Amino acid sequence: MTTNLPSLYDPFSTEAKWQKFWEEKLLYKANPDRGGEPYCIVIPPPNVTGSLHMGHAFENTLIDCLVRYHRMKGRNALYLPGTDHASIAVQTILDNQLKEEGKTRYDVGREKFLERAWEWKKESGGTIVNQLRRLGVSVDWTRERFTMDSGLSKAVLEAFVRLYDEGLIYRGNYLVNWCPASQSAVSDLEVDQKEVDGKLWHFRYPFSDGSGYMEVATTRPETMLGDTAVAVNPNDDRYKDFIGKTLTLPLMNREIPIIGDELVDPAFGTGCVKVTPAHDPNDFEMGKRHDLPFINIMNKDGTMNENAGEFQGQDRFVARKNVVARLEADGVLVKIEDYKHTVPYSERGKVPVEPLLSTQWFVKIRPMADKALEFFEQKSPEFIPERWGKVYKDWLVKLKDWCISRQLWWGHQIPAWYAVSETNGEITDTTPFVVAKDEAEAWEKAKAQFGENVQLERDADVLDTWFSSGLWPFSTLGWPEETEDLQKYYPTSVLVTGFDIIFFWVARMTMMAGHFTEEMPFKDVYIHGLILDENGKKMSKSKGNGIDPLLLIDKYGTDAVRYTLVKEVIGVGQDIRFDYNRKTDESPSVEASRNFANKLWNAARFVMMNLDEQTPQQLGIPAATELSDKWILSRYHQTVQETNSYMDKYGMGEAAKGLYEFIWGDFCDWYIELVKSRLQEDAEPGSRRVAQQTLAYVLEGILKLLSPFMPHITEEIWHTLTQQGTDSGESLSLQSYPQADAALIDLELEEEFELLIGTIRTTRNLRAEADVKPAVKVTVNLQSESAKERQILHTGASYIKDLAKVENLTIANKLWSDKVTKKKSSGALRLIILSFLTITLARVAYAVAITVDNLPFFGTFFELVGFGYSLWFIRIYLLSGEKREQLRQKFFKSSASNLPQVEELEPAELGEVATGVFGTVQILLPLEGVIDMEALRGKLEKNLSKIEAEVQSLSGRLSNSKFIDKAPADVVQGARDALTEAEKQAEILRDRLQRIK
């Protein structure tokens, strides 16, 4: 086993190596018999048709960080993977394949079509699973599930039959979202709301008695063919007297009533709206309230049917143009206005959804939603952030019955068989049916109900994919069987998901779980934000602004991408703007994380080169004696405490940032530098040993802390540091997560050490600004009026001299001149005499006080006066620093006036100096004899002239109105940014010149 690392970190070979190791060793295979509190997360199943996008990468990285953390905390963790069968997506792929062959699915038949579907799933359906493997997620691949595998199919059948038997599933004729392209009902989640530039057409609907007309506005003129009323708001004074009258529907010459309904917005159009109950959700509700006829004018392929009169057979959009043309010719068209409005589009079919009256299968949602609401009142589940709980609750309150049938072939076929022998061999809206778990049971039920000669035909429709995914948290664990997994890991610990599917998936799962398991399916719901593109826009396929995480993984490595995604989370549930350059396919943020990985690698390599081939276990726990050792151990345990606290509260982003600052700053930039001299072979053996122990102890702790975020690089370093071979099957990810030792946390020490670090950093900056060569040692004068600060600086003087390359270091309250020094003895003698006189006077005063105290009455009186005066004196003179100084001057003025006045040396007396300040410590760096002052001034003045010329040029461009008006917005913004940067550089150069003059 090698005891050191290669000089360069290669993320690609390293990551592939450990991903293979974890999977082959079955390290993350959960065991319900193993001890430990269960911790379970089931993966939000991606579509089997999908490929890894940034949303997947973000969500699964967050989940994996949580699972890895809790596994290392000793919990019995299960991260369960799987995919969703994605009915519409797969069907679309197969339909397109058949289209290229000149066929349709009806040509090949259902059985052959499904054979092709399963073959496609076998060959292409594993793409996203393999891509998830590249993220290094610590899932139990032995438990991988698919929403149409045998176990989950059994769960779907069980759920459907139970709900039907309980009267919660029914078949009815209702308005649904219809996609003419896929010729299927679609859920609300499968609908994209798009804002479009449309038209608002105004038409005259004449009164049936010939007394005039009402003007109606609509965005869908073709649907007027199915109008069965015109509605107004009953509180609208313009029209309330017309309620109850009738109008004659243009083109169709059908008499329709005027109704009053508060749903009508008087401000929309003319305040009069046409009512088409079979083709609009709001009109559907008005139709039910007012007992209106429901006239369907459209076929399932989007063409007009026999109820559309002369427009029968025309596509809906062709019919729209022809209806408008006909109404214009008849003099019914009043005007056409441009109108921006929202139109629902089918996500898969890419065409506008048509609200269509259709016979479908529905779930009665109210009983299930009410039960979920009861659980929520008991704070189950809890939402993080809490504000999303209100959104969830509001959605449950407003939920309507759920259409669960889809006119597709790929999916869970509805377990209903129609007795077609009762309706002349056809399935109609009134054909009786039986629901059963399999065909044999269906025949048994049908014969008992309809006789031996019954003819059965199974419902061709399949269930909405959200039905099966609603069962996901418990069906994946074996429900309806009472399995060991279900007993151990259910309810699951947390659901990690985006806010955009609270309504569709989260609510479906809580309703299903509440009904079937009498528990909520997860204890917490962690709602994360969205990954936005570099312009702060939501990524989408239609916009073409997605960012491929695999491309970034190939460029920077998996750990760098993972760490960036987590570290950018600022506050729970916040969106993340991803830093990305589309021209070069580069990301400065991911590059910074890769640099962090390299920093850790190089630091670990240095540490191991100085451990004399010993492991942390061989070296033992450090017994810190030196200041720097105590400081880094305090900072380490403080970081351990903060990281645990953040992770327990879902603060993954804050935890990642805290680790970054500690590892890069405290450990790599400071502690390693501070102990380098102690690692030399000629260093004092005891000090060298403690330095080695501390380095090894903190490095191993860092690797454990960072493991959930960057599992690959930490695994590689840990195996080398601990000299654990892969044959052992040991893994960093199975070690115990660090716990803080409160006894080693010294906040006062950390604060004191910050003074040393700040002083060193400021001194280094002064050297850099003055162009002092790295090898040149300098003289530094430190000034502080605080005795405590001076003591800290004295204690850490060796660190200052070592890291800031200081040869002569002076630490003082003030810098004294020679003249002042010569008068010190005289001032001291005067002070002794003054002290003697003060003591003598005090003794005389005490004798007088004793005499008075022995006199009757006077003793008590003077005690009271003295006590009151003491309180007054303390409040007035001793509680305030300013008053204490006044008191000193009042009582010691005469004496002090005879002391020599302290003169602080001006910089000029020290020669040319560079000055800096950290807190209340002033740092003076004499430059005479160290650098060529004239050359430095000349260089700075030359650079300043160049920058000032750039500022003048940019200012001129930006003050030119032609440039502002004609140049592209990004060019103008670029000029503004450049001006801001140039002005900042000029300010820095002027400050540097001022410092050395």
Side-chain angles (χ1 to χ4, degrees), residues 702-721:
I702 282 171
L703 297 175
K704 292 176 180 177
L705 288 171
L706 196 58
S707 176
F709 305 91
M710 304 180 87
H712 305 89
I713 186 173
T714 52
E715 188 83 68
E716 178 75 12
I717 296 173
W718 182 81
H719 273 266
T720 307
L721 176 66

Side-chain angles (χ1 to χ4, degrees), residues 461-505:
D461 291 353
V462 299
L463 287 167
D464 177 14
T465 53
W466 294 104
F467 189 92
S468 54
S469 59
L471 307 172
W472 185 256
F474 48 97
S475 64
T476 52
L477 296 172
W479 185 91
E481 304 299 328
E482 193 64 28
T483 63
E484 286 186 325
D485 280 0
L486 192 66
Q487 292 176 351
K488 180 73 174 181
Y489 299 110
Y490 186 82
T492 65
S493 303
V494 60
L495 171 71
V496 178
T497 189
F499 64 82
D500 48 344
I501 58 172
I502 289 177
F503 326 115
F504 310 106
W505 190 38

Side-chain angles (χ1 to χ4, degrees), residues 314-342:
Q314 296 180 9
D315 178 79
R316 52 183 170 159
F317 297 116
V318 173
R320 175 177 296 178
K321 294 178 181 178
N322 292 336
V323 165
V324 171
R326 175 69 186 278
L327 291 173
E328 184 176 19
D330 290 350
V332 176
L333 177 64
V334 178
K335 62 180 177 181
I336 304 174
E337 297 176 317
D338 290 331
Y339 187 68
K340 188 181 288 290
H341 64 126
T342 300

Side-chain angles (χ1 to χ4, degrees), residues 252-264:
M252 306 306 289
N253 295 318
R254 186 166 61 242
E255 195 169 309
I256 59 176
I258 300 171
I259 61 173
D261 197 294
E262 291 187 353
L263 185 65
V264 178

Side-chain angles (χ1 to χ4, degrees), residues 60 80 156 166 276 296 433 454 464 478 741 747-748 763 838 894 988:
N60 283 281
L80 194 149
V156 168
E166 293 166 2
T276 319
N296 179 20
F433 57 86
V454 68
D464 177 14
D741 185 344
L747 297 181
E748 185 176 359
T763 305
T838 301
S894 58
I988 292 171

Side-chain angles (χ1 to χ4, degrees), residues 427-460:
I427 298 176
T428 69
D429 290 350
T430 59
T431 303
F433 57 86
V434 294
V435 169
K437 292 182 180 178
D438 54 41
E439 190 170 359
E441 184 184 345
W443 277 108
E444 184 179 340
K445 286 184 175 181
K447 287 177 181 179
Q449 187 173 350
F450 305 107
E452 288 293 327
N453 296 323
V454 68
Q455 295 176 7
L456 291 182
E457 185 176 332
R458 189 171 182 178
D459 196 313

